């Protein structure tokens, strides 16, 4: 390829790279967390699409032929045939939107993307340190303790009683565009709600006979105040590293740019 054409491709890739935010060094409980760079948003469908085009990577949901989807009418989880990152609710439903978080990606898929991007997944403590704005604050959420600012909801989560009814006052039944809600003090978006985000660590709770589960932080659009409340800073869940779900995505970190 001619040199000028290579440079053009390189410039295009750099333009598509997600913006990263510096998270300063600080103390989290009794642990010192070193400073690091973090993606300002969860990895979007558009960004994941670039990875797929560049590598021809096949996600685990595509290999397995299905992914986990919640049925809002039956109020239960099921494996939807054909669900994957392009069609998170299945091939008969709408295609994933470019500026929404990518979902139906397993922990293994997230690691593959991070390696391609020359990044990594955050540790559970790095993620929490970032959610606390690197200040070791004890607020319930990254912005404070109130879920609303006037009539405006601060995050994408389930308003109502899960799984029976959702008033959808935040306007989103499932995922929302990544910059819909205000950023944190550090400039990070969706550190509460929208989608669960994979982190590096194994869960200390043994739930699987096939090996340790991997932790996800941040809650999702399915979390309500009573049943889940996963969108509070301390919220945490876990799944096996090959699991793909329509409410789980990820973001990456990097030690230096």
């Amino acid at each position: 390829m001619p040199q000028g054409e290579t440079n053009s491709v390189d410039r295009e890739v750099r333009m598509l790279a997600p913006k990263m935010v510096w998270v300063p060094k600080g103390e989290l409980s009794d642990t010192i967390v070193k400073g690091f760079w973090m993606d300002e948003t969860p990895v979007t469908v558009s960004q994941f699409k670039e990875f797929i085009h560049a590598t021809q990577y096949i996600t685990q949901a595509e290999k397995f032929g299905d992914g986990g989807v919640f049925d809002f009418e039956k109020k239960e989880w099921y494996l939807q045939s054909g669900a994957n990152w392009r069609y998170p609710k299945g091939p008969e439903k709408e295609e994933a939107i470019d500026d929404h978080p990518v979902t139906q990606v397993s922990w293994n898929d997230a690691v593959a993307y991070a390696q391609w991007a020359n990044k990594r997944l955050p540790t559970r403590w790095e993620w929490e340190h970032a959610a606390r704005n690197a200040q070791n604050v004890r607020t319930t959420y990254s912005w404070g303790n109130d879920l609303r600012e006037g009539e405006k909801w601060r995050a994408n989560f389930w308003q109502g009683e899960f799984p029976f009814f959702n008033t959808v006052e935040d306007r989103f039944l499932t995922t929302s565009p990544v910059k819909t809600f205000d950023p944190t003090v550090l400039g990070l978006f969706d550190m509460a709600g929208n989608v669960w985000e994979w982190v590096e660590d194994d869960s200390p709770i043994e739930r699987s006979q096939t090996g340790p589960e991997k932790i996800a932080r941040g809650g999702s659009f399915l979390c309500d105040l009573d049943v889940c409340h996963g969108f509070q800073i301390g919220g945490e869940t876990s799944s096996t590293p090959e699991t793909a779900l329509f409410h789980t995505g990820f973001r990456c970190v990097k030690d230096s740019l």
Side-chain angles (χ1 to χ4, degrees):
M1 180 182 292
Q3 184 65 39
E5 191 171 345
T6 301
N7 290 341
S8 176
V9 172
D10 288 343
R11 284 196 299 272
E12 183 178 354
V13 170
R14 285 198 297 271
M15 288 174 64
L16 289 167
K19 180 180 176 182
M20 302 195 81
V21 171
W22 175 248
V23 180
K25 172 183 176 180
E27 184 176 352
L28 181 66
S29 297
D30 296 325
T31 302
I32 299 298
V33 181
K34 295 180 180 179
F36 57 92
W37 293 90
M38 179 176 252
D39 289 346
E40 67 171 347
T41 72
V43 173
T44 65
V45 172
S46 177
Q47 290 158 3
F48 197 77
K49 193 180 296 182
E50 291 301 318
F51 161 61
I52 297 297
H53 288 168
T55 64
Q56 304 304 306
Y57 181 84
I58 300 174
T59 64
Q60 293 196 280
E62 290 171 299
K63 292 177 182 178
F64 292 144
D66 54 36
V69 175
F70 184 77
D71 188 314
F72 291 96
E73 294 184 1
K74 295 182 179 179
K75 302 175 176 51
E76 62 185 19
W77 283 94
Y78 68 102
L79 282 176
Q80 170 63 55
S81 177
N84 57 50
W85 71 272
R86 288 184 185 275
Y87 295 95
K89 302 171 192 173
E92 303 302 319
K93 302 291 185 180
E94 64 272 15
E95 189 172 358
I97 304 171
D98 279 352
D99 63 349
H100 285 228
V102 67
T103 61
Q104 294 293 9
V105 287
S106 70
W107 182 89
N108 294 321
D109 297 333
V111 169
Y113 174 95
Q115 291 174 345
W116 169 77
N118 195 28
K119 300 178 183 180
R120 60 180 175 83
L121 295 184
T123 68
R124 66 193 295 196
W125 303 126
E126 285 174 331
W127 194 98
E128 182 167 330
H129 181 60
R132 295 191 186 280
N133 296 304
Q135 298 175 5
N136 201 22
V137 295
R138 296 292 108 183
T139 57
T140 305
Y141 313 106
S142 293
W143 59 82
N145 294 310
D146 298 324
L147 285 172
R148 301 173 79 158
E149 183 179 16
E151 296 301 313
K152 182 180 179 182
W153 292 97
R154 303 297 298 268
N156 178 5
F157 64 97
W158 185 288
Q159 288 94 52
E161 183 181 350
F162 182 84
F164 304 107
F165 69 94
N166 185 350
T167 62
V168 199
E169 293 175 35
D170 62 6
R171 298 181 291 122
F172 300 100
L173 182 64
T174 59
T175 57
S176 54
V178 293
K179 292 186 178 180
T180 298
F181 299 90
D182 291 339
T184 67
V185 171
L186 292 179
L188 298 166
F189 294 84
D190 286 342
M191 293 299 286
N194 211 357
V195 294
W196 285 103
E197 298 179 12
W198 290 114
V199 296
E200 175 63 33
D201 305 68
D202 292 345
S203 172
I205 302 173
E206 293 291 338
R207 292 193 182 119
S208 172
Q209 297 180 351
T210 61
E213 294 191 348
K214 292 296 184 177
I215 293 171
R217 303 295 303 262
S220 80
F221 56 80
L222 289 181
C223 288
D224 74 343
L225 282 168
D226 297 323
V227 177
C228 173
H229 206 180
F231 50 93
Q232 61 185 314
I233 290 177
E236 187 170 287
T237 190
S238 65
S239 298
T240 58
E242 71 276 6
T243 297
L245 301 163
F246 91 138
H247 70 337
T248 302
F250 68 100
R251 78 176 76 207
C252 299
V253 299
K254 198 169 184 177
D255 297 310
S256 61
L257 294 180

